[in-house]
Amino acid sequence: MTGMTKKIVLVGTGMVGMSFAYAALNQGVCDELVLCDINKERAVGEAMDLNHGLPFARSNMKIYAGDYSDCKDADIVIIAAGVAQKEGETRLDLLQRNVDVFRSIITPIVKSGFNGIFLVATNPVDIMTRVTYELSRFGSGRVIGSGTTLDSARLRYLLGDYLSVDPKNVHAYVIGEHGDSEFVPFSQAIVATKSIISVIQEDSTSYKMEHLKEIEEQVRTAAYKIISAKRATYYGIGMALTRIVKAILNDENSILTVSTKLNGEYGINDVYIGVPSVIGRNGIKQVIELSLTDEETEKLHNSAKILADSFEGLKCR
Ligand code: NAD
């Protein structure tokens, strides 16, 4: 925290960035919001548009288009900038191009004297968060990715619907890569204080394990469905980013499945991956180690290996 004023710089004013900005304005999460984009005109237009909603907002907020020197006294820099895949381009080529984009963003931000927390949303988010860590050389606790925060929200919503209970009383996580190898450790899922597995076992006429597996698959494939219906996903991630920002700025010690660097937890090292973590004013306070079954541990290790392999070969320095 740099002072009493809560200041956020958003890099990337596309659909994801602006969905965050709109949610942040409506929830009054900060005092100052700076919009940066390689397309400066777009950032200027977005700032104008948001400012025109201020008379209807719950609190005042200074919103303007700026540049990386504005990061100097910011509490959080959110990165939602990205480039789309070109025709014929491999996933690895796209990744390397995004690394180059990140270099052009992170180097001047660090030079500005920024001393806050990086929060990354750009996909593949676990890799781009690790890239941010490598490029910034900040302590790992101060570099966070949105990870599986949104996926866990999707899961809780679907489980709440299935069990006919308020999703707020469902405690369950999606962990691992924000992508195809993510999974739900159902051994750790509870409703109120009761294990979901025992809820299923006690009422096997109403509930079935295969339905839980279907819900897990629905969560894993949600982004594909939304993208095929409306080309991109943005409201959910915008609200997930807002939730993470609130946890940081209000020093909440909230537990969210952000992408964080593992240093031996779960027997994994040097990989950014989505796991439940305690989040406060200085970023990641602690990684929560769930008591996973052997099968779940194997799935997490598999996910971590996929991420480690994807990172290998990228030129970050
Ligand atoms: P978008 O194309 O609408 O916006 C990207 C923005 O980045 C554009 O405004 C573009 O001008 C800007 N940009 C490009 N290069 C830049 C640079 N060098 N410097 C500054 N700005 C630059 O895309 P979107 O739909 O907003 O998605 C953004 C990213 O978020 C993508 O990588 C997407 O895959 C990701 N995403 C993540 C999640 C998640 O759960 N983490 C969910 C949805 C989307």
Side-chain angles (χ1 to χ4, degrees):
M1 282 303 163
T2 49
M4 294 302 283
T5 302
K6 295 173 177 170
K7 179 174 176 180
I8 296 175
V9 176
L10 170 68
V11 183
T13 58
M15 298 309 292
V16 168
M18 291 318 297
S19 297
F20 158 75
Y22 187 62
L25 173 58
N26 279 297
Q27 295 183 36
V29 299
C30 60
D31 305 300
E32 201 170 331
L33 176 63
V34 188
L35 306 182
C36 299
D37 199 286
I38 196 160
N39 181 348
K40 178 91 186 187
E41 196 183 352
R42 179 175 191 167
V44 170
E46 293 290 5
M48 281 174 74
D49 202 359
L50 282 185
N51 274 319
H52 298 163
L54 268 178
F56 312 115
R58 54 185 278 176
S59 58
N60 215 348
M61 198 183 277
K62 193 173 164 190
I63 306 169
Y64 55 97
D67 54 44
Y68 297 139
S69 64
D70 291 303
C71 298
K72 176 174 50 115
D73 57 349
D75 298 294
I76 302 173
V77 168
I78 299 180
I79 308 184
V83 285
Q85 201 153 358
K86 286 182 184 163
E87 222 181 293
E89 189 176 46
T90 66
R91 199 173 149 268
L92 202 66
D93 289 342
L94 172 70
L95 246 180
Q96 186 58 55
R97 217 148 51 82
N98 263 325
V99 170
D100 298 337
V101 165
F102 267 46
R103 187 179 294 107
S104 75
I105 293 170
I106 286 152
T107 309
I109 290 177
V110 171
K111 268 202 186 131
S112 77
F114 173 59
N115 192 28
I117 291 163
F118 277 109
L119 173 57
V120 179
T122 304
N123 273 325
V125 70
D126 303 287
I127 304 290
M128 297 318 296
T129 310
R130 185 166 171 192
V131 166
T132 304
Y133 164 74
E134 298 286 345
L135 291 170
S136 67
R137 302 186 182 211
F138 276 25
S140 60
R142 291 205 288 131
V143 183
I144 302 173
S146 55
T148 49
T149 306
L150 172 59
D151 317 68
S152 292
R154 285 172 175 153
L155 174 71
R156 291 173 70 197
Y157 159 72
L158 289 170
L159 284 176
D161 192 45
Y162 180 58
L163 300 168
S164 301
V165 295
D166 186 337
K168 290 191 186 71
N169 299 116
V170 176
H171 301 283
Y173 298 121
V174 176
I175 63 173
E177 170 200 14
H178 171 62
D180 295 344
S181 68
E182 68 181 33
F183 70 99
V184 181
F186 278 111
S187 73
Q188 303 298 301
I190 58 172
V191 52
T193 57
K194 194 164 179 161
S195 142
I196 286 187
I197 303 275
S198 51
V199 171
I200 303 262
Q201 284 165 345
E202 284 169 25
D203 185 0
S204 57
T205 45
S206 308
Y207 304 120
K208 307 223 170 319
M209 195 61 208
E210 65 245 40
H211 294 157
L212 293 190
K213 288 284 164 199
E214 280 166 26
I215 287 174
E216 180 180 33
E217 190 56 20
Q218 276 179 53
V219 171
R220 193 182 293 119
T221 54
Y224 295 115
K225 283 220 174 89
I226 297 171
I227 288 168
S228 100
K230 50 173 263 187
R231 294 189 30 217
T233 81
Y234 34 90
Y235 297 130
I237 181 63
M239 292 187 74
L241 291 169
T242 307
R243 179 69 194 89
I244 299 167
V245 161
K246 277 160 82 173
I248 296 168
L249 292 178
N250 301 330
D251 196 19
E252 284 181 11
N253 291 335
S254 292
I255 298 173
L256 296 163
T257 49
V258 291
S259 188
T260 189
K261 181 168 173 277
L262 295 186
N263 300 307
E265 297 90 349
Y266 298 100
I268 298 169
N269 272 297
D270 295 330
V271 170
Y272 265 88
I273 194 163
V275 284
S277 308
V278 182
I279 303 172
R281 188 167 41 224
N282 297 314
I284 304 289
K285 264 194 173 166
Q286 194 196 332
V287 170
I288 306 288
E289 280 198 74
L290 302 172
S291 308
L292 300 179
T293 62
D294 289 348
E295 193 189 342
E296 290 163 350
T297 301
E298 199 184 316
K299 284 185 184 170
L300 187 63
H301 280 233
N302 170 51
S303 201
K305 184 174 181 324
I306 288 170
L307 289 170
D309 290 350
S310 302
F311 184 80
E312 229 180 70
L314 288 180
K315 296 180 197 76
C316 282
R317 294 229 165 117

